Amino acid sequence: MSAQDKALDDKEERLRLTPVKGSNQVHVRGFNERLILNLIRQYDQLTKAEATRATGLSPNAVSMIFRALEDENLLLREEPIRGKIGQPSTPLRLNPSARHYVGFKIGRRSFDLVVIDFTGKILARRTSQHSHPTPVAMCAFFKHEIRSLLRSAHLRRDDIDALGVAMPSELWHWTDDFDAPKTEMEAWRDFDVASALHKILPVPISIENDGTAACRAERVFGPHTLKQDVIYFFIGTLIGGGIVLNGSVYVGRRGNSGGFGPLRVPDEPGGHRLIDHASLVVLEKLVAGEGKDPFSIYDQDLDWQTLEPALSQWILRAARGLAHAIVSTLSVIDFEAVVIDGAFPASLCRRLLGEINNELSRLDLQGVMHPELSAGHFGTVARALGAASYRITTDFMIDQNALHLGATK
């Protein structure tokens, strides 16, 4: 290669890595419109007067935005509010049927397929379990279930605006941690998931890390909070999660922010990583050691009390690991809150939160604040729900971590 060719290649690489990207105006919704939609999603409904006070925009500007969003069928009018001084005010809310999205979680122990409306309501869901996923099984499940999924939701394929996929990054790795055959899992390395699914459902497709997707579901559809910087842990077959910065999900340069599995856990038998303690594969092994079916923990109808005493042992072990992980992350960024969720019932999550608080009280927190801990709200379905919400966030919400030149009106 000549010096000139090398210089050109180096320039192309630098251009590719330019941190600020432009956006075509035709594909970018105006900032003020996104702001109004954000507020309506947050408060369920909003009058023009309330929007004017909240945004600082002029009444005329707010009226124009509301009119444009109504014309696009994104908003619906409620009954006017009467009985106050002046003209009756008319609240507007999101139109549930404005958009429909499919979310597909490709997991190490299960597939999860949902279809949602514009408000995030799950209209239909299909799941299946497996010992490990393969591309062939994934395609077969999706092709077999998508038709009945849409039929249950009273939708046609033409009604679907996009498909979001949530799956572990580099699925062919970590095979030893969940006892999967390396040769079969290696098939994922060069498999084009988006192309395969597009042949079955030809709509725009996005793919992101499953922990990030779960975090997205909590941020978009969970109870709204003023907390802007949040750590989100999701305990599945292996542990992962996501990060919220400045009120928006932060995915990172490679899309793997919140990949908490490799975090160090000191002085604990059984491993030095968080993944070795706060993952459901650890519970699998404890349950199997008592002569019970380890895969039963992925049964939606399981009575988790039947897993005792292994369950209590796992909760204590997971809580110790998570307490160390929380202190480690707080020492990097001054997060306001910590959310814990996972593929288990809400009652189990509450038990785990209590033990994490106990463990935190025993650790040296000098230099960091004791965080506010809370439980996530979607459990097992969080990853598929978050995948389905991807286009809602990119097309209709404000991402304060991304600068889109020319995106404001």
Side-chain angles (χ1 to χ4, degrees):
M1 178 183 294
S2 69
Q4 183 178 6
D5 289 340
K6 185 177 187 305
L8 288 173
D9 285 347
D10 290 343
K11 181 181 179 182
E12 289 295 326
E13 180 66 9
R14 290 196 303 272
L15 289 171
R16 187 181 67 82
L17 296 176
T18 299
V20 179
K21 302 294 184 183
S23 299
N24 295 320
Q25 185 70 34
V26 69
H27 295 307
V28 179
R29 180 168 299 278
F31 180 89
N32 292 337
E33 292 182 358
R34 288 172 180 255
L35 179 58
I36 295 294
L37 288 169
N38 265 1
L39 289 169
I40 295 176
R41 190 174 294 279
Q42 182 174 354
Y43 293 102
D44 295 328
Q45 60 182 32
L46 212 64
T47 65
K48 294 177 184 178
E50 290 170 334
T52 299
R53 291 195 299 271
T55 62
L57 296 170
S58 69
N60 184 57
V62 169
S63 292
M64 291 179 63
I65 292 171
F66 270 54
R67 190 178 306 117
L69 295 176
E70 280 190 271
D71 290 344
E72 201 174 336
N73 204 33
L74 294 173
L75 298 182
L76 295 176
R77 289 176 175 260
E78 296 280 62
E79 289 296 319
I81 300 175
R82 306 180 187 278
K84 296 184 178 182
I85 298 175
Q87 293 292 323
S89 57
T90 303
L92 286 93
R93 61 182 175 88
L94 298 176
N95 178 8
S97 61
R99 301 287 188 276
H100 295 94
Y101 304 97
V102 171
F104 184 28
K105 186 266 296 187
I106 301 172
R108 294 181 175 92
R109 295 294 194 225
S110 65
F111 298 131
D112 196 352
L113 186 64
V114 300
V115 59
I116 68 171
D117 66 19
F118 194 48
T119 66
K121 180 181 179 181
I122 297 175
L123 304 178
R125 183 184 182 190
R126 299 289 186 273
T127 63
S128 74
Q129 296 181 30
H130 48 247
S131 61
H132 62 277
T134 65
V136 171
M138 181 273 293
C139 289
F141 170 82
F142 189 86
K143 185 174 183 179
H144 181 265
E145 297 294 347
I146 188 65
R147 181 178 298 178
S148 65
L149 179 88
L150 298 181
R151 188 184 306 117
S152 296
H154 306 291
L155 296 171
R156 300 169 302 170
R157 292 183 182 234
D158 291 345
D159 295 321
I160 302 303
D161 293 275
L163 164 64
V165 179
M167 60 186 296
S169 301
E170 298 184 342
L171 188 53
W172 55 91
H173 284 163
W174 309 89
T175 54
D176 290 340
D177 292 287
F178 71 110
D179 298 324
K182 292 182 180 180
T183 52
E184 292 189 40
M185 294 300 292
E186 189 65 22
W188 289 102
R189 185 184 294 272
D190 299 316
F191 184 75
D192 190 334
V193 174
S195 294
L197 294 177
H198 192 267
K199 293 176 182 177
I200 304 171
L201 185 65
V203 297
I205 296 177
S206 61
I207 299 178
E208 72 176 340
N209 176 270
D210 56 338
T212 300
C215 181
R216 190 181 302 280
E218 187 69 28
R219 194 61 186 173
V220 177
F221 302 125
H224 298 287
T225 171
L226 295 178
K227 299 292 187 298
Q228 295 292 295
D229 303 316
V230 180
I231 314 168
Y232 175 90
F233 291 94
F234 189 90
I235 304 171
T237 305
L238 304 180
I239 189 168
I243 292 174
V244 174
L245 291 178
N246 305 313
S248 302
V249 175
Y250 179 76
V251 300
R253 179 175 292 272
R254 299 177 180 85
N256 292 325
S257 292
F260 298 117
L263 279 174
R264 302 296 100 171
V265 176
D267 306 324
E268 290 291 339
H272 56 270
R273 307 167 301 170
L274 182 61
I275 200 173
D276 299 320
H277 304 280
S279 298
L280 289 181
V281 289
V282 179
L283 179 58
E284 285 183 29
K285 293 171 183 176
L286 291 172
V287 170
E290 295 182 350
K292 301 174 183 176
D293 177 13
F295 290 157
S296 66
I297 66 175
Y298 302 104
D299 186 344
Q300 300 288 324
D301 300 320
L302 173 68
D303 178 2
W304 284 71
Q305 292 304 313
T306 62
L307 302 180
E308 295 291 3
L311 182 61
S312 291
Q313 296 173 27
W314 177 78
I315 289 175
L316 291 173
R317 182 171 171 179
R320 288 195 296 270
L322 283 163
H324 283 291
I326 288 168
V327 173
S328 295
T329 52
L330 288 175
S331 68
V332 178
I333 294 178
D334 187 18
F335 290 102
E336 302 171 81
V338 177
V339 176
I340 306 291
D341 206 349
F344 40 63
S347 57
L348 175 55
C349 195
R350 289 192 293 269
R351 284 182 62 186
L352 181 59
L353 282 174
E355 290 300 333
I356 294 171
N357 267 317
N358 291 339
E359 292 297 331
L360 284 171
S361 67
R362 301 186 184 102
L363 296 179
D364 181 3
L365 298 183
Q366 187 172 357
V368 299
M369 297 291 292
H370 193 297
E372 176 185 317
L373 267 65
S374 61
H377 295 82
F378 299 108
T380 305
V381 78
R383 294 159 291 184
L385 178 60
S389 73
Y390 181 86
R391 288 298 292 266
I392 291 178
T393 57
T394 59
D395 293 352
F396 302 101
M397 298 182 70
I398 296 170
D399 184 353
Q400 298 189 74
N401 299 314
L403 175 62
H404 295 289
L405 299 180
T408 58
K409 289 185 179 179

